[in-house]
Amino acid sequence: MDPRDVRPASSPAPPPAPSVALAVTDGMLHFELSIAYEVFSRDYDLTVCGPGPVRAGRFLLEPDHGLDRLRDARTVVVPGWADVDVAPPAALVDAVRAAHDAGARVASLCTGAFVLAAAGLLDGRRATTHWAHTDVLAARHPRVTVDPDVLYVDDGSVLTSAGKAAALDLCLHLVRLDHGSAVANTVARRLVVPPHRDGGQAQFVTTPVPAPGNHPLGELFPWVMARLDWPLTVEDLARRAGMSSRHLARHFRAVTGTTPLRWLLAQRIRRAQELLETTDDGMESIAAATGMGTATTLRRHFARTVGVPPDTYRRTFRVRATSQPARAGD
């Protein structure tokens, strides 16, 4: 055989990108709409679905398809609804309900929860929205368990978020579910935001996304992230920040909504997730790389925080990395 006739084996084609549809109509909040568009514009097959030219604030948007195409998407995202005193359009409500009935995962950002509630998707579920409107949502939809003290709620096929920065947290959470922590962290770095805030974190955060140099802790966060393998203590963080441990705790609560130790553990867990997804490192190596000392400590904290043992998590995300995520309901 002529060696020139030998062709290299072709690599398997990558799985198609999961589809996301933004459900839009007049009266949407342009900030939340822009967040969703920016996060899902890469790594996804993104479409915008609406009844025609849509005005969001001062912006005029031309959708790709009508609302009927929402049912073809794996994930439907409903941005914030500007005037919660006005019922959302029936066509939007019906289309969102039909998409969920067809198996789509449906997520609302901020007051988009009012659209999901009107569609009956939140009945019997726990949900959230912007803290200023949680009482209204609870009074108008008594079958919904409204939680005013969280950033977002993941109830499987239905997800809701609080306002503004929390909407970004939920979008990054969806990316993490679909593609893993490594991709979600890449998106977060591109947007210059922290890669993860737990959904159960309080909404009342003075500065949820501090810029380096604009806050007393702005220089501390990247310093810690580069040293997660160190056995850092609160005293170490306070010394680096040049303040007392009590002063540090006050700043942490204002910026992150949690304590220094809980924040540090969350970063260690996130790093462990990324290593589990992207490397073949053993548990002892990952424990050392994340500052958790031993595999036993890693397994205990990981299972308590994530809900599954690290070995199970690794197997799950290795499968996701090689196959297209399944539609909800498939």
Side-chain angles (χ1 to χ4, degrees):
M1 177 184 293
D2 190 332
R4 291 173 297 180
D5 293 333
V6 178
R7 300 289 186 268
S10 59
S11 57
S19 58
V20 170
L22 305 185
V24 301
T25 189
D26 285 337
M28 289 292 178
L29 296 172
H30 65 273
F31 183 81
E32 284 77 4
L33 175 59
S34 300
I35 283 175
Y37 194 92
E38 181 64 26
V39 170
F40 299 115
S41 60
R42 305 184 188 183
D43 305 306
Y44 287 88
D45 176 12
L46 177 65
T47 59
V48 179
C49 300
V54 168
R55 185 167 294 280
R58 295 190 176 186
F59 298 93
L60 189 64
L61 182 67
E62 185 70 42
D64 302 307
H65 303 288
L67 289 170
D68 60 307
R69 291 289 292 273
L70 292 178
R71 64 186 303 126
D72 295 333
R74 177 180 178 267
T75 301
V76 172
V77 177
V78 182
W81 180 244
D83 191 349
V84 299
D85 294 327
V86 176
L92 174 65
V93 172
D94 292 344
V96 169
R97 184 190 303 114
H100 184 261
D101 290 344
R105 176 179 62 183
V106 178
S108 66
L109 308 181
C110 192
T111 48
F114 283 82
V115 177
L116 272 58
L121 301 188
L122 301 184
D123 289 352
R125 297 180 186 268
R126 178 168 159 263
T128 194
T129 188
H130 192 290
W131 62 265
H133 304 293
T134 51
D135 289 344
V136 176
L137 182 64
R140 191 173 301 168
H141 301 280
R143 296 183 62 187
V144 181
T145 302
V146 180
D147 190 338
D149 297 322
V150 294
L151 295 177
Y152 58 85
V153 175
D154 181 345
D155 200 333
S157 65
V158 178
L159 303 92
T160 53
S161 84
K164 307 305 178 188
L168 179 54
D169 291 317
L170 177 55
C171 289
L172 290 173
H173 174 67
L174 290 171
V175 175
R176 188 173 294 106
L177 291 176
D178 292 338
H179 297 291
S181 294
V183 173
N185 290 346
T186 298
V187 175
R189 284 193 293 270
R190 175 166 59 84
L191 299 177
V192 198
V193 297
H196 179 73
R197 291 195 298 166
D198 289 324
Q201 189 171 305
Q203 286 194 34
F204 299 95
V205 181
T206 306
T207 312
V209 185
N214 294 340
H215 188 275
L217 302 183
E219 302 298 328
L220 178 64
F221 291 134
W223 183 85
V224 173
M225 295 302 292
R227 295 164 176 80
L228 288 178
D229 56 329
W230 291 17
L232 296 171
T233 65
V234 173
E235 289 71 24
D236 293 329
L237 271 60
R239 190 179 307 111
R240 177 68 185 184
M243 59 183 68
S244 68
S245 297
R246 180 176 295 182
H247 198 192
L248 178 77
R250 284 199 299 269
H251 279 296
F252 253 88
R253 177 65 66 178
V255 174
T256 70
T258 190
T259 67
L261 277 181
R262 288 179 179 174
W263 178 86
L264 180 58
L265 177 60
Q267 309 319 307
R268 296 192 194 283
I269 294 295
R270 283 297 153 197
R271 180 64 58 80
Q273 287 178 299
E274 186 170 350
L275 292 173
L276 287 167
E277 295 169 23
T278 60
T279 75
D280 294 318
D281 294 351
M283 295 303 154
E284 291 290 350
S285 296
I286 293 176
T290 57
M292 283 189 268
T294 68
T296 300
T297 302
L298 167 65
R299 289 190 172 95
R300 182 176 70 252
H301 286 302
F302 195 96
R304 185 176 62 189
T305 303
V306 181
V308 296
D311 304 274
T312 302
Y313 182 90
R314 167 173 273 168
R315 287 195 300 270
T316 299
F317 274 92
R318 285 298 170 88
V319 171
R320 287 181 179 175
T322 57
S323 63
Q324 183 182 9
R327 285 173 60 107
D330 282 357

